[in-house]
Amino acid sequence: MNLSRVLNALLQNLAQSLKKGDDKVIYRFEDVQQWKAGVLATLLDYKLIKAISAAQNIECQGCENTCFMDVISHQVNDKQRSYIVCDDSEKQALMGRITVKPEQLKQWQVSIKNLAHVLAELLGFDDFKFTSKQAYIPLGMLNLSLIHIS
């Protein structure tokens, strides 16, 4: 997906999330892999999206079942090793321990706060400030009071 399609999808997903009462959307490694090269870097540069803590569970690609599995991680010397263990009794002996690469655990978040900061910067608001206790985000003459921050 190119930058404009990703931006469109980000805004649509954020709008859907807001309707459900959440002010952020999380993107996993698998989602970002569908984006064209450079799109993630651009979104990170504009601070529309930010890296968050590693995923604690992932969709297993070990077989056709694509189960959602908890990740088990261990620190070995100075490296972190992560894996999942198949919990399907028929496939467990065949699958065994499935290694998870560190990059597969990366995830990012876009939020209404990130969007407000980008808009404020693009509109040239030098003194834009936002705290988590605010019920709405004032953007100069604009007032996003319909979008409540939780």
Side-chain angles (χ1 to χ4, degrees), residues 13-14 17-18 21-26 109-112 114 150:
N13 292 339
L14 189 54
S17 184
L18 286 168
D22 196 2
D23 66 337
K24 57 188 162 280
V25 177
I26 294 175
Q109 173 184 293
V110 63
S111 70
I112 194 67
N114 297 68
S150 56

Side-chain angles (χ1 to χ4, degrees), residues 113 130-135 149-150:
K113 180 179 176 182
F130 174 79
T131 65
S132 59
K133 295 179 182 178
Q134 286 178 239
I149 309 303
S150 56

